[in-house]
Amino acid sequence: MTTPLNERRIANAIRVLAMDAVQKANSGHPGAPMGMADIADVVWREFLNHNPTNPQWPNRDRFVLSNGHGSMLQYALLHLTGYDLSIADLQQFRQLHSKTPGHPELGYAPGIETTTGPLGQGIANAVGFALAEKTLAAQFNKDDLSVVDHFTYCFLGDGCLMEGVSHEACSLAGTLGLGKLVAYYDDNGISIDGEVEGWFSDDTEQRFLAYGWQVLKADGHDADALRAATLEAKAETTKPTLIICKTIIGLGSPNKQGKEDCHGAPLGNDEIALTRQALGWTEEAFVIPADIYAAWDAKDKGAKSEAAWNETFAAYAAKYPTEAAELKRRVSGDLPADFVAQADAYIAEVNAKAETIATRKASQNALQAFGPLLPEILGGSADLAGSNLTLWKGCIGVQDNPAGNYVHYGVREFGMTAIANGVALHGGFIPYVATFLMFMEYARNAVRMSALMKQRVIHVYTHDSIGLGEDGPTHQPVEQIASLRGTPNLNTWRPCDTVEAAISWKSALVRSEGPTALIFSRQNLPFQARTDAQIADVAKGGYVLAKEKGELKAIIIATGSEVSLAMEAYAQLEGVRVVSMPCAEEFVKQDAAYREAVLPANIRARVAVEAAHVDYWWKFVGLDGRVIGMTTYGESAPAKDLYQHFGITTDAVVAAVKEITA
């Protein structure tokens, strides 16, 4: 039987904090926190294994609020259970530089595991957490000692289930049998526009049963039913579980509960006063009684849980010291101490071989070299492994062996990328994911989230230009590289040969503060000879590949497959320098002296050449420079014919240089 609303004092603390904070900010979403308060009460006080005084404890359960607009639910929970998030912080909800932004943001309040807000990605991140937990557990746990053993709990709403990314991620979660993932669906029938039945009439239960999930139903306001459902969910170890919780949005608000009015707007002072009466809550705004704090406080319980795990880990370290040290290293995110030296040795080998091959093949060779050195790599491709060349000889699919290191994501570019973000956030892995560059578009928002959350996710994109040929304009990327380069905190590499490809992989792997996009060609690209000094400069993102003969009069800037065009033009010209710029983001980070040495300010005669949209390059060539590239979509034809047709040729580069130096 459901407890009367005015007797649910512990859960009601969430309701009042949510409505008070939203009212004070005059902005926000009180409906979801008030509707899900009873679910949160059961999950967080009875099941969630966490330690508020050490939010980074490795074996904590992960909690994801996929319907991130309900952020006050999570902030209230963090405050009440004892995290370093004060009442004053809640009073600063949605204000500049507060710990409580409008949506949960990684790195602001302790205990926030991922940034949510773009609906559907939270549940995809949660799938990534569960995948990482299962894989890490299979790699490190022993029959007698388990040191990786935790659940992922996810709250989600109607909006998350309407977003296509939820289908991609949840379908794969069922296939992979992620039994430690428990999702609570806030089935309140309301979205911003009103009652969802007019635009969302799916049979959600049948949908998730079809994915291979366990599906349970519970009254979202009945603690006993929620408890029983959660116990049943945890008992099912081979399937993820969706608990469909029938709830009333904004529960407690006499005039607005059950309506879209409370979804995304403050209740108003008059309605808040009535809600306090309905809840039997007599305290003023932002005042929580001591007995309520005591009921929520998770610090003692969390400290005991962590202490018990520490004992287990100590026993594990005594019996399996090598594995324990390796697990600690991987969870910390540190690379093996000798990795950089080994990577540099490999780059020297690549230079000595001087191969003319496609950079996608050079990428596979780099993976073959680096993969055995880095057991933390968890690769994957969206059904294009044979084209992206992301499989290397040590790859083992997680679908066959949970201790594997490769995920066959299927045709799920968006889901794949959002899951990889969850894997990175979990810790213990460096994920890479791959597709054709054109189909980055499907994954675009998850790529942005990698960058926003500063996660080391490596986005591998092959078939990088009109050079892929006959598949035509639907498959030929034009504007995608510019879009990636325009993304803050994302490094975008487009290497021109085997050496630059190997260096781009090294750069991506050592870069811990954000993601990298690696863009590789389908077609063979000529090897470029370099000195040791030039090889060292590649990592700076831009460098002088060919020094001018005589006095410097013009500069050609190129990337990827077009570097060879620049070099062919160079052979026909005097006073011209070729600058290869595989990663403009790294180049602009260099000091002014280095940038001036590569691109002297007094040389205004500049030509950029790249088989991608021209607009990116004006900032490097100036308005009086020239850019040879694409301004339209491609065509279906062999690559050589396309380059000729679109005027991306050696002759065009030579003519442009002559024109601006005349």
Side-chain angles (χ1 to χ4, degrees):
M1 191 179 91
T2 307
T3 307
L5 186 61
N6 61 359
E7 294 177 21
R8 290 182 234 164
R9 293 185 70 240
I10 294 170
N12 287 345
I14 295 172
R15 293 186 168 100
V16 295
L17 286 173
M19 68 182 185
D20 288 344
V22 170
Q23 188 65 38
K24 188 171 188 303
N26 197 30
S27 172
H29 298 75
M34 296 174 76
M36 297 192 81
D38 300 315
I39 307 169
D41 177 12
V42 171
V43 173
W44 274 66
R45 289 205 309 122
E46 298 183 37
F47 291 99
L48 192 72
N49 197 19
H50 64 123
N51 184 4
T53 55
N54 183 13
Q56 296 305 309
W57 168 39
N59 202 47
R60 67 192 181 279
D61 289 338
R62 298 327 196 253
F63 175 80
V64 178
L65 183 71
S66 189
N67 47 337
H69 54 269
S71 57
M72 265 311 304
L73 173 69
Q74 194 162 5
Y75 298 146
L77 288 164
L78 293 169
H79 169 72
L80 291 165
T81 55
Y83 286 79
D84 183 18
L85 195 69
S86 66
I87 277 288
D89 291 322
L90 302 193
Q91 290 173 324
Q92 287 298 300
F93 178 55
R94 290 184 162 232
Q95 306 310 298
L96 186 62
H97 303 316
S98 75
K99 289 184 180 179
T100 48
H103 291 82
E105 301 276 355
L106 186 72
Y108 288 73
I112 301 291
E113 300 282 4
T114 181
T115 297
T116 56
L119 294 176
Q121 286 194 67
I123 179 62
N125 293 163
V127 171
F129 282 123
L131 170 63
E133 191 276 342
K134 183 176 180 177
T135 306
L136 202 65
Q139 291 178 357
F140 283 96
N141 288 350
K142 306 293 184 181
D143 290 343
D144 57 335
L145 287 166
S146 290
V147 286
V148 180
D149 182 10
H150 51 265
F151 283 79
T152 300
Y153 298 98
C154 180
F155 287 5
L156 68 155
D158 300 299
C160 293
L161 293 182
M162 285 185 253
E163 291 285 2
V165 67
S166 70
H167 161 72
E168 295 181 27
C170 294
S171 165
L172 186 61
T175 300
L176 295 178
L178 301 180
K180 286 186 174 174
L181 172 61
V182 184
Y184 298 79
Y185 165 33
D186 182 30
D187 183 13
N188 60 31
I190 298 292
S191 66
I192 291 174
D193 281 356
E195 296 179 10
V196 300
E197 60 191 19
W199 48 89
F200 184 54
S201 58
D202 303 14
D203 187 331
T204 299
E205 179 181 12
Q206 290 300 316
R207 170 183 164 187
F208 276 77
L209 287 170
Y211 293 154
W213 286 52
Q214 173 178 239
V215 181
L216 308 171
K217 291 183 172 178
D219 178 342
H221 303 300
D222 183 336
D224 291 338
L226 291 162
R227 187 177 302 111
T230 305
L231 287 167
E232 195 173 343
K234 292 185 69 171
E236 173 54 79
T237 58
T238 63
K239 296 177 179 179
T241 298
L242 180 73
I243 305 174
I244 299 174
C245 305
K246 204 69 187 169
T247 62
I248 298 168
I249 191 170
L251 183 65
S253 169
N255 298 304
K256 295 188 177 182
Q257 67 180 34
K259 301 174 183 175
E260 65 270 21
D261 300 21
C262 67
H263 174 93
L267 297 182
N269 289 322
D270 292 347
E271 187 66 14
I272 284 176
L274 294 171
T275 305
R276 276 185 151 73
Q277 287 178 25
L279 299 176
W281 195 271
T282 56
E283 282 73 23
E284 294 178 9
F286 297 104
V287 175
I288 305 294
D291 64 318
I292 304 291
Y293 274 127
W296 275 107
D297 193 337
K299 293 194 292 291
D300 185 55
K301 182 181 173 185
K304 286 175 179 170
S305 291
E306 183 176 352
W309 180 80
N310 285 338
E311 282 185 26
T312 302
F313 190 83
Y316 180 89
K319 195 168 181 181
Y320 308 105
T322 304
E323 291 93 331
E326 181 69 354
L327 181 57
K328 285 176 76 170
R329 179 189 72 77
R330 284 178 53 176
V331 168
S332 74
D334 294 332
L335 296 177
D338 60 347
F339 174 73
V340 168
Q342 295 210 46
D344 289 342
Y346 171 71
I347 292 162
E349 282 175 30
V350 170
N351 185 59
K353 280 185 182 174
E355 291 177 299
T356 289
I357 54 177
T359 50
R360 62 172 175 161
K361 180 61 184 173
S363 165
Q364 186 180 44
N365 292 346
L367 275 169
Q368 189 59 58
F370 296 158
L373 308 175
L374 299 171
E376 57 263 51
I377 287 179
L378 185 64
S381 176
D383 201 47
L384 289 168
S387 295
N388 298 146
L389 301 186
T390 47
L391 283 168
W392 51 281
K393 287 175 185 166
C395 282
I396 300 167
V398 298
Q399 78 283 357
D400 300 318
N401 181 349
N405 59 358
Y406 195 88
V407 185
H408 291 275
Y409 284 100
V411 188
R412 298 184 177 96
E413 295 88 357
F414 192 0
M416 167 181 76
T417 309
I419 289 168
N421 288 343
V423 168
L425 287 159
H426 178 277
F429 294 100
I430 300 174
Y432 70 82
V433 290
T435 184
F436 289 170
L437 176 57
M438 184 63 244
F439 303 128
M440 174 279 295
E441 293 288 356
Y442 283 128
R444 186 71 186 83
N445 201 263
V447 177
R448 182 177 190 268
M449 295 303 290
S450 308
L452 180 62
M453 294 191 285
K454 304 176 180 157
Q455 293 305 295
R456 181 162 42 187
V457 179
I458 301 172
H459 306 279
V460 178
Y461 300 123
T462 69
H463 297 58
D464 68 339
S465 69
I466 57 171
L468 72 88
E470 291 85 345
D471 276 341
T474 60
H475 284 54
Q476 292 167 4
V478 170
E479 71 276 30
Q480 285 63 42
I481 298 176
S483 172
L484 291 166
R485 289 184 180 133
T487 305
N489 195 40
L490 175 67
N491 272 7
T492 299
W493 283 83
R494 187 169 182 248
C496 76
D497 67 356
T498 53
V499 169
E500 286 191 359
I503 291 169
S504 72
W505 263 107
K506 176 194 169 189
S507 173
L509 288 162
V510 301
R511 185 175 189 243
S512 59
E513 67 276 14
T516 303
L518 302 178
I519 298 174
F520 299 121
S521 72
R522 177 196 185 194
Q523 71 274 32
N524 290 345
L525 303 184
F527 175 82
Q528 304 295 337
R530 296 174 185 81
T531 63
D532 289 347
Q534 285 174 309
I535 292 172
D537 283 343
V538 173
K540 297 174 181 175
Y543 64 101
V544 179
L545 177 62
K547 197 168 183 328
E548 59 277 7
K549 296 171 279 203
E551 184 189 350
L552 179 59
K553 295 175 183 174
I555 300 171
I556 305 171
I557 306 170
T559 79
S561 46
E562 287 67 64
V563 167
S564 60
L565 297 183
M567 291 301 289
E568 287 167 8
Y570 170 82
Q572 300 178 33
L573 295 162
E574 299 290 322
V576 171
R577 157 184 308 189
V578 175
V579 170
S580 176
M581 197 173 288
C583 183
E585 295 82 14
E586 281 297 324
F587 178 72
V588 298
K589 290 176 195 169
Q590 304 305 312
D591 60 49
Y594 180 77
R595 288 183 279 119
E596 174 67 17
V598 175
L599 296 176
N602 66 314
I603 305 299
R604 300 287 294 269
R606 300 181 182 189
V607 176
V609 54
E610 185 176 58
H613 203 288
V614 297
D615 277 4
Y616 177 79
W617 289 104
W618 295 112
K619 70 178 185 181
F620 287 105
V621 303
L623 293 178
D624 46 357
R626 299 288 184 274
V627 184
I628 296 166
M630 298 293 292
T631 56
T632 66
Y633 297 111
E635 295 283 350
S636 176
K640 63 178 187 335
D641 297 341
L642 291 169
Y643 273 85
Q644 197 67 41
H645 173 73
F646 289 107
I648 305 172
T649 62
T650 301
D651 289 348
V653 178
V654 170
V657 171
K658 286 181 174 176
E659 183 189 349
I660 58 174
T661 54

